[in-house]
Amino acid sequence: MPSLAAKIFHPTARNLRMLASRLRAGELVAVPTETVYGLAANALSSAACARIFRAKGRPVSDPLIVHVERLAQIEELAVVTPAVRKLADAFWPGPLTLVLPKRAIVPDIVTAGGSSVAIRMPSHPVFRRLLRLTGLPLAAPSANPFGYVSPTSAEHVRDNLGSRIRFILEGGPAYIGVESTIVDLREPRRPVLLRPGSISAAEIGRVLGCPVRVRSSTKRATKGPQIAPGLLARHYSPATPVILHDSAADMSVSRNDEAYVFVRKPAGKRSLNCHWFDRRGNLAGVARTLFATLRRLDRAGYRRLHIEKAPGVDGLAAAINDRLRRAAAR
Ligand code: TXA
Ligand code: MG
């Protein structure tokens, strides 16, 4: 076996052409997206997609998201209804994934044998150039080992998967920082939110002209392919135990071998084990730094991480708190 020491490639025209040809040859390339870095393979090749599951240590019961550059590509993969077009007009390219009835061309390994496929059109300019050059739909889950915190930089990918893949495309820090919103749109008039992201259920409902039901994230499917990530309570988890708090007022900084992480920079005197996600508590900033902060503190040797939840119940707060709850689940 050749050694697979991953190398980070800057997005020059030459590197992009080389990586596109590696993808067409069935190899894996870690790619930047606006949400988190993904581990991409040709979505039309079962053998290429099987490599994703091996590299991540991901169970094959967990289906993949397929990324495309243009709407016309989706028609080949899935059934496109007027509701899909409305959402595409409003939110694509961007951090929204739609679960749609699939066509036969999509290999079973992508959908975990199910009859639906999850599709999104990403907005990251570097990833879009690569998609255009390959001319293929690319299946890509987040580029982390199964169950660990998602990567928001090329270095995060190398830290985790450096010995299992060869190619990482540099695209700078992911500028949204939490994974895409997933909506089940198999029945266009009965949309269901499967995973909260930066695009809220309310915004989607406004565009569709009907309410979006929020699937409870604790239920677990008993059979068939896994319906969305919420089914695994423990996901996105650091190795250090995480304890969540509803507000900063509930967090007394009492031990110096534990970390205290606040949404915003606390006023007054602070000890070295006090941290914060965003200086002003801006939720877009919290989302952007969330996973990098969890990774950094996971390596700092603390016994436990006390973390303040984001204020609010919908939009970005829902997405952030969903990830925090999973990080805290044991
Ligand atoms: O922002 C994102 O969506 C990132 C970037 C790389 O695009 N991708 C991502 O992929 O978060 P992943 O695999 O970490 O999470 C996607 C989740 C899976 O856990 C799976 O449960 C759900 O999407 N999923 C995929 N196909 C599905 C389907 N046909 N029906 C229901 N859920 C599906
Ligand atoms: Mg993931």
Side-chain angles (χ1 to χ4, degrees), residues 108-227:
D108 277 347
I109 189 165
V110 170
T111 63
S115 57
S116 65
V117 61
I119 303 188
R120 88 176 185 98
M121 192 190 296
S123 64
H124 196 292
V126 170
F127 188 20
R128 292 184 61 76
R129 277 162 70 199
L130 185 66
L131 279 164
R132 198 171 316 135
L133 283 169
T134 58
L136 291 167
L138 296 177
S142 50
N144 50 309
F146 184 70
Y148 193 61
V149 180
S150 297
T152 50
S153 73
E155 288 73 28
H156 293 165
V157 179
R158 188 169 53 191
D159 288 349
N160 290 157
L161 296 178
S163 62
R164 301 188 186 188
I165 62 174
R166 291 173 64 193
F167 306 110
I168 303 172
L169 176 56
E170 176 65 77
Y175 44 84
I176 289 178
V178 292
E179 298 87 344
S180 60
T181 306
I182 305 182
V183 174
D184 181 348
L185 206 60
R186 285 175 301 172
E187 294 181 56
R189 270 176 290 273
R190 302 188 64 231
V192 182
L193 182 78
L194 299 181
R195 177 174 72 184
S198 62
I199 298 174
S200 70
E203 285 175 90
I204 293 165
R206 269 198 296 280
V207 170
L208 290 176
C210 66
V212 177
R213 199 152 53 85
V214 177
R215 192 190 57 103
S216 115
S217 61
T218 49
K219 268 190 238 150
R220 215 197 132 80
T222 48
K223 59 177 182 339
Q226 195 158 300
I227 295 277

Side-chain angles (χ1 to χ4, degrees), residues 71 74 83-93 96 98 121 207:
L71 197 58
I74 300 185
V84 176
R85 287 178 204 288
K86 276 193 203 166
L87 292 179
D89 275 350
F91 302 114
W92 277 345
L96 174 66
L98 299 179
M121 192 190 296
V207 170

